[in-house]
């Protein structure tokens, strides 16, 4: 319960404007005069406390509590407050978003409003004027206020209100996907508010560190979901966004240079962005569905990617074997796993490990996701005949030492990879299989002779990504006996860890992902099994008996060391039956 013994924004005795930020912070022992002087010299007109927080010198909570104490205002954790949604809807969305002011509840004839900026009196006065309510401010963390506004009003809520207002003012009906003229639709897509709305959706996705954005038309509205740490989350958006769905899709088509008039067949494109100095590559996939075109955006944040094999996280013994494989003069090394399991990152890390001016490395990719200095990269163009197989045949005439094929999709590409290996090249590629032993059967199913597979494939690395527990809120617990799987290594540790959820991880309990692996190195016995067309299960059984660390067991190791949870490993791996 918020106690309202606070000053009104218009209190004459002591206004926020007269408070000296530097003196207040120093008086409360939060910073030194030297730190203040340094911050002032680099502030470039920004407010002192924000500079200190951004520089890591000042804790935001401590600063807000100091301001609250100085001004006689409550400091509240709005995450634990019950927001009156009906009350919130009575306030102009634009002002709420622009000034990050969150109306919380009615109390004693006034409205309690959370703000992260006690010095912006103009914003409070503006909201009080346009809403007609008497406002009483309380202090709260900026990120909490912003997140709750988006949660209750949706991403881009203020922009959508502007669009609705424009439509109403113009007396023009909202466009429908069935009858919209392409020229009018393109014109609407270039509307500044539509551009701003699309940008806000992309910025929010990047802020949440999403790998994908799903925009899906439904019978009764539009659903936007962000894939964060491998799982999809529904993103709150205003209901009115459906009316501008066609303009949003058209805007994305324009950005990715696709045909805005074509709505009957799938289209793929690419958008290159630069946001706050970071290069962002967006792969766009648009597919016609029952209620309209579905859009999936794959976000590749180049600034966050560091391709270093040491950071991949293999166990020491496995890393040693993998280093031996990638240092071979010829042969095929495969990385397998489902889409989005980090295969490309592992291969790029391997290439960086062996990259040297004395070695020529050429890649054939679809698409080239990350540009890598010192490596010749080729983009596949199937429409003009530049397929994986065709590209591979051509680059053999460029005298490469190491070749990366983005993916072995068919028998033609598999045969070309085999021939490249037999002619003295080291070939890296990916396959979509559930585990490492299945790669042999997959290549044979594509039409490659078993003896060729056995003689060229030197090793197969399978991988998955597990969510990493948030280091700020994970808690230890003792699991019940029935919770421990039969195949979990004994002795069982006394404590496991589980997610709790906090501000740092947005309440999920997880922050980021880490790979788990299994590495199968071909030996003479595996070669014989392959030539005999043995099943994947037989090859797997032999490999496990002879020292291969399975995906599940590697996952259990990450549970034991507190990196992830038992539930997470059980979710993405299958038990080995021997």
């Amino acid at each position: 319960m918020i106690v309202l013994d606070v000053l009104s924004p218009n209190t004459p005795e002591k206004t926020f404007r007269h408070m000296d930020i530097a003196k207040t912070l120093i008086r409360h022992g939060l910073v030194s005069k030297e730190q203040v002087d340094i911050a002032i010299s680099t502030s470039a007109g920004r407010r002192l406390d924000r500079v200190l927080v951004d520089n890591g010198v000042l804790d935001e909570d401590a600063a807000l509590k100091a301001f609250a104490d100085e001004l006689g205002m409550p400091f509240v954790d709005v995450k634990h407050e019950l927001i009156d949604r009906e009350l919130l809807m009575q306030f102009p969305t634009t002002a709420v978003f622009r000034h990050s002011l969150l109306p919380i509840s009615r109390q004693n004839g006034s409205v309690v409003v959370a703000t992260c900026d006690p010095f912006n009196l103009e914003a409070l006065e503006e909201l009080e004027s346009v809403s007609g309510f008497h406002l009483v401010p309380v202090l709260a963390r900026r990120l909490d206020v912003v997140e709750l506004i988006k949660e209750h009003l949706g991403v881009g809520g203020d922009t959508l209100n502007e669009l609705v207002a424009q439509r109403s003012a113009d007396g023009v009906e909202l466009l429908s996907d069935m009858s919209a003229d392409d020229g009018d639709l393109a014109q609407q897509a270039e509307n500044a508010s539509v551009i701003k709305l699309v940008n806000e959706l992309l910025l929010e996705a990047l802020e949440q560190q999403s790998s994908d954005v799903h925009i899906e038309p439904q019978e009764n509205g539009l659903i936007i979901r962000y894939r964060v740490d491998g799982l999809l989350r529904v993103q709150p958006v205003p209901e009115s966004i459906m009316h501008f769905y066609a303009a949003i899709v058209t805007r994305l088509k324009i950005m990715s240079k696709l045909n805005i008039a074509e709505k009957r067949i799938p289209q793929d494109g690419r958008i290159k962005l630069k946001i706050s100095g970071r290069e962002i590559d967006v792969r766009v996939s648009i597919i016609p569905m029952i209620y309209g075109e579905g859009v999936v955006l794959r976000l590749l944040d180049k600034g966050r990617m560091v391709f270093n094999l040491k950071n991949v996280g293999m166990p020491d013994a496995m890393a040693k074997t993998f280093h031996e494989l990638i240092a071979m003069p010829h042969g095929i090394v495969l990385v397998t796993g489902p889409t989005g399991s980090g295969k490309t990152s592992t291969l790029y890390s391997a290439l960086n490990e062996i990259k040297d001016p004395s070695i020529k490395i050429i890649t054939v990719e679809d698409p080239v996701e990350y540009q890598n200095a010192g490596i010749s990269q080729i983009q596949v163009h199937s429409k003009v005949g530049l397929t994986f197989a065709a590209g591979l045949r051509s680059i053999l005439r460029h005298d490469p030492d190491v070749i990366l094929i983005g993916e072995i999709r068919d028998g033609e590409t598999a045969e070309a990879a085999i021939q490249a290996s037999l002619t003295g090249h080291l070939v890296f590629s990916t396959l979509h299989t559930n585990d490492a032993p299945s790669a042999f059967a997959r290549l044979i199913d594509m039409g490659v002779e078993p003896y060729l597979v056995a003689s060229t494939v030197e090793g197969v690395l399978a991988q998955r990504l597990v969510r990493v527990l948030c280091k700020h809120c994970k808690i230890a617990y003792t699991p019940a006996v029935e919770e421990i799987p039969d195949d979990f290594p004994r002795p069982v540790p006394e404590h496991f860890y589980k997610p709790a959820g906090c501000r740092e991880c947005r309440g999920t309990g997880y922050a980021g992902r880490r790979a788990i692996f299994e590495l199968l190195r071909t030996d003479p016995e595996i070669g014989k099994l392959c030539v005999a067309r043995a099943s994947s299960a037989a090859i797997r059984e032999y490999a496990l008996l002879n020292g291969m660390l399975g995906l599940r067991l590697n996952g259990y190791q990450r549970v034991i060391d507190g990196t992830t949870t038992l539930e997470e490993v059980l979710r993405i791996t299958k038990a080995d039956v021997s």
Side-chain angles (χ1 to χ4, degrees):
M1 183 71 175
I2 300 172
V3 181
L4 293 182
D5 54 345
V6 298
L7 296 173
S8 163
N10 301 314
T11 302
E13 293 88 347
K14 185 177 184 181
T15 68
F16 302 158
R17 295 185 180 93
H18 296 158
M19 197 176 85
D20 189 312
I21 295 175
K23 289 181 179 177
T24 299
L25 297 176
I26 293 172
R27 186 162 54 251
H28 282 76
L30 301 179
V31 292
S32 66
K33 186 178 184 306
E34 291 73 19
Q35 290 172 323
V36 167
D37 291 339
I38 293 171
I40 290 174
S41 66
T42 60
S43 64
R46 296 170 59 218
R47 213 175 70 204
L48 176 61
D49 57 309
R50 290 178 177 170
V51 176
L52 290 165
V53 170
D54 290 345
N55 291 345
V57 175
L58 177 66
D59 178 71
E60 183 186 10
D61 281 17
L64 288 173
K65 288 174 182 176
F67 297 153
D69 179 64
E70 192 79 9
L71 299 166
M73 295 174 62
F75 172 76
V76 301
D77 186 346
V78 289
K79 286 283 189 178
H80 296 147
E81 296 293 332
L82 184 63
I83 309 300
D84 186 337
R85 183 173 174 79
E86 290 186 7
L87 174 66
L88 177 58
M89 298 308 292
Q90 296 179 47
F91 283 78
T93 309
T94 302
V96 169
F97 270 93
R98 185 193 306 132
H99 301 304
S100 296
L101 296 172
L102 176 64
I104 300 176
S105 61
R106 296 176 189 267
Q107 201 168 339
N108 300 332
S110 300
V111 173
V112 181
V113 176
T115 178
C116 56
D117 186 356
F119 309 103
N120 191 356
L121 282 182
E122 289 79 5
L124 289 163
E125 290 165 354
E126 177 191 333
L127 189 63
E128 192 167 66
S129 174
V130 296
S131 68
F133 290 104
H134 176 261
L135 306 181
V136 178
V138 295
L139 283 180
R141 302 174 191 90
R142 185 191 65 81
L143 189 59
D144 290 352
V145 172
V146 171
E147 283 185 359
L148 283 169
I149 289 173
K150 290 176 182 176
E151 181 181 321
H152 287 84
L153 297 178
V155 176
D158 56 332
T159 305
L160 281 166
N161 277 355
E162 290 175 16
L163 281 168
V164 172
Q166 289 171 17
R167 286 290 176 196
S168 301
D170 295 340
V172 180
E173 290 186 8
L174 298 173
L175 288 173
S176 66
D177 192 38
M178 297 297 294
S179 61
D181 175 76
D182 291 329
D184 292 341
L185 196 55
Q187 186 176 0
Q188 188 191 26
E190 291 300 289
N191 181 302
S193 293
V194 173
I195 293 173
K196 182 183 175 186
L197 176 60
V198 172
N199 290 345
E200 285 174 350
L201 291 173
L202 291 172
L203 285 168
E204 181 64 18
L206 289 170
E207 189 176 319
Q208 294 191 28
Q209 299 187 2
S210 308
S211 60
D212 303 85
V213 178
H214 293 241
I215 303 174
E216 303 161 325
Q218 305 290 322
E219 182 178 10
N220 299 317
L222 185 69
I223 294 178
I224 295 181
R225 297 190 288 175
Y226 293 163
R227 188 177 293 279
V228 182
D229 291 341
L231 297 181
L232 286 169
R233 297 180 189 169
V234 176
Q235 183 64 35
V237 290
E239 293 181 3
S240 58
I241 196 171
M242 185 59 187
H243 298 304
F244 302 95
Y245 160 70
I248 292 170
V249 175
T250 302
R251 171 62 186 165
L252 289 169
K253 286 182 178 179
I254 291 171
M255 292 172 72
S256 50
K257 297 180 174 60
L258 299 179
N259 184 355
I260 66 171
E262 182 56 73
K263 302 177 179 67
R264 300 165 299 172
I265 61 174
Q267 296 190 73
D268 294 319
R270 192 171 184 175
I271 304 170
K272 291 186 177 181
L273 304 172
K274 196 163 189 176
I275 301 172
S276 301
R278 295 155 54 196
E279 286 191 26
I280 309 296
D281 204 6
V282 184
R283 288 160 54 183
V284 182
S285 176
I286 300 178
I287 297 178
M289 297 182 178
I290 296 176
Y291 299 109
E293 293 175 284
V295 182
V296 175
L297 310 174
R298 167 65 62 88
L299 307 179
L300 303 172
D301 189 346
K302 297 182 179 181
R304 293 179 56 224
M305 298 305 298
V306 178
F307 300 113
N308 187 326
L309 211 51
K310 293 178 181 177
N311 297 336
V312 168
M314 289 186 195
D316 292 341
M318 187 183 294
K320 181 175 181 295
T321 302
F322 190 68
H323 274 90
E324 293 171 357
L325 287 172
I326 65 177
M328 286 186 159
H330 56 78
I332 297 177
V333 177
L334 298 172
V335 179
T336 77
T339 301
S341 59
K343 301 186 297 295
T344 301
S345 297
T346 299
L347 284 175
Y348 277 11
S349 298
L351 291 182
N352 274 341
E353 190 77 12
I354 63 174
K355 185 169 64 175
D356 186 88
S358 64
I359 297 175
K360 178 153 186 176
I361 303 173
I362 303 182
T363 73
V364 187
E365 304 171 65
D366 182 22
V368 175
E369 294 184 356
Y370 301 98
Q371 296 176 13
N372 204 322
I375 296 176
S376 303
Q377 296 173 275
I378 299 172
Q379 169 76 51
V380 165
H381 289 289
S382 301
K383 291 181 180 178
V384 295
L386 182 53
T387 60
F388 280 119
L392 184 52
R393 285 193 296 269
S394 298
I395 64 178
L396 289 176
R397 294 190 286 272
H398 270 247
D399 188 30
D401 298 293
V402 178
I403 299 167
L404 167 64
I405 308 169
E407 182 184 346
I408 296 178
R409 296 176 178 172
D410 50 45
E412 185 183 12
T413 307
E415 289 284 0
I418 295 288
Q419 291 304 316
S421 169
L422 291 172
T423 52
H425 302 88
L426 179 61
V427 180
F428 294 102
S429 191
T430 68
L431 270 179
H432 286 290
T433 63
N434 290 325
D435 57 15
S438 299
F440 296 94
R442 180 82 178 100
L443 291 173
I444 294 170
D445 288 343
M446 288 181 179
V448 181
E449 290 294 333
Y451 73 91
L452 289 176
V453 176
S455 61
T456 57
V457 176
E458 298 292 345
V460 185
L461 180 75
Q463 68 180 73
R464 298 287 190 280
L465 293 177
V466 295
R467 292 184 292 169
V468 174
L469 281 164
C470 173
K471 62 182 180 181
H472 299 283
C473 67
K474 68 178 183 180
I475 54 177
Y477 76 104
T478 302
V481 175
E482 59 270 17
E483 293 179 38
I484 309 298
D486 293 337
D487 62 342
F488 195 92
R490 266 56 177 177
V492 176
E494 183 178 349
H495 296 297
F496 284 10
Y497 290 88
K498 63 182 178 180
C502 68
R503 188 170 294 101
E504 298 293 332
C505 60
R506 294 176 179 265
T508 65
Y510 296 93
R513 290 188 291 175
R514 178 172 175 172
I516 57 173
F517 305 93
E518 67 179 21
L519 178 60
L520 174 59
R521 186 168 188 175
T522 307
D523 64 14
E525 185 59 32
I526 289 178
K528 291 178 184 177
L529 290 170
C530 184
V531 171
R533 296 178 181 267
S535 67
S536 298
I539 296 176
R540 182 170 190 81
E541 183 178 359
Y542 167 81
L544 290 171
L545 290 173
N546 286 270
M548 183 182 81
L549 178 68
L551 277 169
R552 196 172 178 99
L553 189 55
N554 186 206
Y556 285 154
Q557 290 177 345
R558 302 287 76 81
V559 173
I560 292 170
D561 65 23
T563 300
T564 190
T565 62
L566 184 61
E567 292 75 18
E568 187 70 5
V569 173
L570 298 179
R571 180 177 69 86
I572 65 166
T573 63
K574 189 173 71 170
D576 289 310
V577 180
S578 57

